């Protein structure tokens, strides 16, 4: 593990100077948004020469993404893109050539790329729904537009958290997620009431 804030209970993402990258590494992996702890990388870590690989499941298409910086991006659809059962993968062509020959056919991205993602019967309904979500995102002004709305929504919630002193944001300010706003209440009893509140 090149960097972790586990000792601080994941209240922030690691800082660049805390990362100990292995020279000659096959890739560097990071998760752009931590759903549970409510932290998010503002940008990509500087990963040296190794291809950058990212799990972007929980913030994919929530804001513009500089695709040129990545070797491989994978995102389970079920958070942001559509129903579960579909995973969006964007992979640089030269990395396809590195797919190990010993890898099972079905597990190789090269197989799926060369068959236009139809090597087996794809989950058509999930892919169709993902297409609708993408059309919706385009109608919002694309990822710039979606990102602006998300930034505004997150700012509203964090402002309330900071203003009241009642809610306690769990993530450090410079690592706050625009996707998952995590907070605690003054007591666990109040949290139980909050979680089970019904209209
Ligand atoms: C970034 C990220 N990747 C992967 C997963 C796994 O998703 P699931 O449990 O729906 O398979 C999660 C779940 O929270 C996630 O936040």
């Amino acid at each position: 593990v090149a960097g972790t804030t586990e000792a601080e209970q994941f209240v922030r993402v690691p800082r660049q100077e805390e990362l100990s990258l292995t020279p000659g590494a096959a890739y560097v992996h990071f998760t752009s948004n931590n759903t549970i702890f409510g932290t998010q990388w503002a940008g990509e870590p500087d990963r040296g020469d190794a291809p950058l690989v990212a799990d972007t499941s929980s913030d994919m298409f929530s804001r513009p993404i500089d695709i040129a910086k990545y070797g491989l991006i994978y995102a389970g659809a079920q958070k942001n893109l559509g129903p579960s059962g579909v995973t969006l993968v964007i992979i640089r062509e030269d990395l396809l050539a590195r797919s190990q020959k010993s890898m099972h056919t079905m597990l190789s991205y090269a197989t799926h790329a060369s068959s236009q993602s139809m090597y087996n019967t794809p989950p058509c309904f999930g892919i169709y729904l993902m297409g609708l979500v993408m059309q919706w995102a385009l109608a919002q002004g694309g990822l710039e537009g979606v990102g602006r709305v998300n930034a505004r929504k997150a700012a509203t919630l964090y402002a309330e958290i900071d203003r009241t002193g009642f809610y306690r944001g769990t993530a450090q300010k410079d690592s706050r997620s625009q996707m998952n706003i995590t907070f605690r209440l003054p007591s666990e009893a109040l949290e139980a009431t909050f979680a089970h509140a019904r209209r």
Side-chain angles (χ1 to χ4, degrees):
V1 177
T4 178
T5 58
E6 187 173 8
E8 297 165 51
Q9 292 190 311
F10 306 108
V11 294
R12 62 178 177 85
V13 298
R15 285 184 278 272
Q16 182 70 40
E17 64 272 18
E18 292 170 336
L19 302 181
S20 54
L21 300 173
T22 310
Y27 63 87
V28 172
H29 181 282
F30 84 116
T31 302
S32 48
N33 182 72
N34 186 323
T35 315
I36 294 173
F37 290 92
T39 58
Q40 185 178 31
W41 290 76
E44 296 78 8
D46 182 358
R47 82 293 180 194
D49 292 334
L52 189 61
V53 175
D55 175 356
T56 64
S57 300
S58 58
D59 64 354
M60 191 68 190
F61 293 165
S62 69
R63 58 180 179 177
I65 185 164
D66 187 355
I67 214 82
K69 290 186 176 161
Y70 293 82
L72 188 149
I73 289 176
Y74 62 98
Q78 67 274 19
K79 310 275 181 225
N80 275 13
L81 307 177
S84 61
V86 189
T87 301
L88 175 71
V89 177
I90 303 171
I91 182 168
R92 224 170 56 202
E93 279 194 323
D94 63 297
L95 294 181
L96 286 174
R98 278 175 44 181
S99 290
Q100 304 231 351
K101 298 285 172 278
S102 58
M103 179 93 73
H104 190 290
T105 315
M106 191 64 190
L107 297 181
S108 169
Y109 286 133
T111 303
H112 298 285
S114 65
S115 329
Q116 285 79 47
S117 301
M118 290 182 285
Y119 178 73
N120 63 324
T121 309
C124 307
F125 184 67
I127 293 171
Y128 169 71
L129 283 185
M130 203 193 269
L132 293 183
V133 173
M134 289 185 191
Q135 281 173 22
W136 173 85
L138 286 171
Q140 309 306 305
L143 298 187
E144 295 280 353
V146 173
R148 268 195 303 276
V149 173
N150 285 330
R152 197 166 64 230
K153 284 195 293 191
T156 303
L157 288 168
Y158 286 126
E160 194 59 13
I161 286 171
D162 293 339
R163 186 186 68 79
T164 60
F166 178 76
Y167 305 100
R168 282 178 293 123
T170 59
Q172 278 187 12
K173 287 190 178 174
D174 58 359
S175 291
R176 279 176 165 176
S177 168
Q178 300 209 335
M179 283 282 93
N180 306 97
I181 285 100
T182 48
F183 60 87
R184 304 291 306 259
L185 298 183
S187 72
E188 292 196 1
L190 276 173
E191 285 172 351
T193 308
F194 182 90
H196 296 115
R198 299 271 191 282
R199 276 176 178 255

